[in-house]
Amino acid sequence: MSGADLILGIETSCDDTSVALVDRGGRVIACETVSQFDIHAEFGGVFPELASRAHLEAVLPTVDKVLKAIDSDTGRLRAIGVTRGPGLIGSLIVGMNTAQALGLAWGKPVFGVNHLRGHLRSPDLDEKRITYPALLLLVSGGHTLLCHMTSTTEITVLGTTRDDSVGETYDKVARMLDLGMPGGPALDRLARAGRAVHRFPRPMIREGYEFSFSGLKSSVARMLEKDPDVDRADVAASFVAACLDVLGTKVRRALGEYEAKSLVVVGGVAASPQIRDLVGEICAKTGVQPCLPPLKWATDNAAMIALATWDYVDRSEPTDMRTVPSMSLAAW
Ligand code: KG4
Ligand code: ZN
């Protein structure tokens, strides 16, 4: 296959420098991700200024590495897609500037892409998995969203979080339990060794599609303060049980109200085996098709940004190249 059949995707919104080449069908020709894990671990969270510097060092060598897969033949590129938000402003600017410079040098159009639209498209990487209409649950470090979709681009947001996101809550509770970084996966592992014997609150579970997780987080903090010797695995298991109960209840409610052929769960927390089990359970009961990205595409990566860029190419609207730290799923 020749011609301009690939998108070069660049993702630098947080602490991973990622570059990928993806065709229109979602086939990933190459994807390279440089993690900044070692840089931020000692701070217990992402240090924004260090993140931008690390992106600056990593981004061009990563582009070079990925281009080797096509013998550096930039004639194969239809466009460049780069995350313009949401994310850390300094980190986003590194990606945006790099993409625009490369676009100018190679004579290629450059599209600023909404990172959330990247997550949304992630289950269609490697093979097409989403069938429409679909119910979408996006659970990442920055977002918690429940949406109804009739196509990749027609999305109705049913509810979002009033305070912390699920991923953020996992990370904060992991910190309380001294689990180090990355918190989410460590907490998830510890939870599997414990029993859900504590009844933590399930905020806003009774109605609607809005979420709130800060009360749950505070309740875990209070328990650890009151009883420092409490079994930590049991606390983790009880916390995860509360999260899953809230997410599962809202998803079941939405499946009762909205027509859906598939249940799409994306974002970093979709890497959690417990969430995956929950999705399997709900789908087995309702007959809806489970639709999860392969593990490697659940957390931040440039392949999903490249795939989402095809939607921008097809849209034929002028692209917005402003860098935005916070952005809704509806924005392009
Ligand atoms: O989507 P993502 O990579 O970055 C954002 O766009 O925010 O999501 C990162 C979030 C973090 O909060 C991380 O703790 C969580 O996803 N996460 C997990 C797991 N892997 C990543 N949470 C629970 N279990 C996991 N296995
Ligand atoms: Zn993300």
Side-chain angles (χ1 to χ4, degrees):
M1 178 89 188
S2 58
D5 61 336
L6 301 175
I7 300 269
L8 181 81
I10 300 178
E11 154 64 36
T12 62
S13 67
C14 191
D15 58 343
D16 289 311
T17 312
S18 186
V19 181
L21 287 167
V22 175
D23 75 10
R24 190 180 267 282
R27 195 163 66 97
V28 183
I29 311 306
C31 182
E32 291 288 336
T33 302
V34 180
S35 159
Q36 300 179 3
F37 177 75
D38 294 340
I39 297 172
H40 304 292
E42 66 174 294
F43 301 103
V46 179
F47 197 113
E49 174 66 28
L50 294 181
S52 335
R53 289 176 194 216
H55 285 306
L56 206 48
E57 278 175 27
V59 69
L60 283 177
T62 311
V63 168
D64 272 343
K65 209 165 165 185
V66 159
L67 284 179
K68 287 211 171 76
I70 52 169
D71 297 324
S72 301
D73 175 10
T74 53
R76 292 281 303 273
L77 302 183
R78 170 70 180 80
I80 300 170
V82 56
T83 303
R84 74 178 184 99
L88 301 170
I89 188 76
S91 293
L92 291 166
I93 286 172
V94 174
M96 291 288 278
N97 281 355
T98 305
Q100 289 178 100
L102 293 175
L104 200 62
W106 297 337
K108 302 288 174 185
V110 182
F111 295 89
V113 174
N114 181 343
H115 179 85
L116 302 177
R117 286 185 182 268
H119 277 302
L120 169 73
R121 298 293 268 115
S122 61
D124 281 341
L125 286 166
D126 300 332
E127 62 180 273
K128 214 158 184 55
R129 295 182 179 87
I130 306 179
T131 48
Y132 295 95
L135 190 74
L136 168 79
L137 178 67
L138 191 157
V139 274
S140 70
H143 294 81
T144 303
L145 284 164
L146 191 60
C147 308
H148 186 252
M149 304 190 300
T150 48
S151 73
T152 51
T153 53
E154 283 154 283
I155 309 159
T156 309
V157 177
L158 306 178
T160 181
T161 180
R162 300 259 171 106
D163 38 61
D164 294 346
S165 70
V166 186
E168 200 177 354
T169 314
Y170 266 67
D171 292 338
K172 286 178 179 168
V173 170
R175 212 168 302 153
M176 292 175 203
L177 293 167
D178 297 322
L179 294 178
M181 270 180 78
L187 177 65
D188 217 46
R189 266 194 306 277
L190 181 64
R192 272 173 274 152
R195 293 161 311 135
V197 290
H198 307 292
R199 177 81 191 172
F200 287 126
R202 275 106 167 116
M204 305 184 81
I205 196 169
R206 289 196 196 286
E207 56 193 41
Y209 301 113
E210 291 284 296
F211 299 92
S212 163
F213 291 99
S214 79
L216 169 59
K217 175 192 68 187
S218 313
S219 169
V220 175
R222 272 197 303 278
M223 173 170 289
L224 292 171
E225 233 173 68
K226 251 206 299 203
D227 181 4
D229 297 325
V230 64
D231 185 295
R232 307 225 141 197
D234 286 353
V235 172
S238 308
F239 163 76
V240 169
C243 284
L244 295 190
D245 197 6
V246 171
L247 295 172
T249 302
K250 306 249 168 189
V251 164
R252 284 189 198 94
R253 183 173 296 145
L255 286 175
E257 190 174 340
Y258 296 89
E259 194 204 341
K261 285 190 181 142
S262 60
L263 171 59
V264 183
V265 183
V266 298
V269 186
S272 152
Q274 315 218 36
I275 293 259
R276 293 183 163 249
D277 288 349
L278 173 71
V279 171
E281 227 173 81
I282 293 175
C283 289
K285 278 213 179 107
T286 53
V288 169
Q289 183 198 321
C291 191
L292 290 145
L295 274 190
K296 63 178 167 179
W297 307 132
T299 49
D300 288 351
N301 65 83
M304 67 185 197
I305 301 302
L307 180 56
T309 305
W310 286 108
D311 295 334
Y312 289 71
V313 169
D314 293 341
R315 206 169 146 249
S316 69
E317 299 253 341
T319 177
D320 189 337
M321 292 305 286
R322 283 172 299 179
T323 306
V324 216
S326 84
M327 222 171 155
S328 75
L329 183 61
W332 280 89

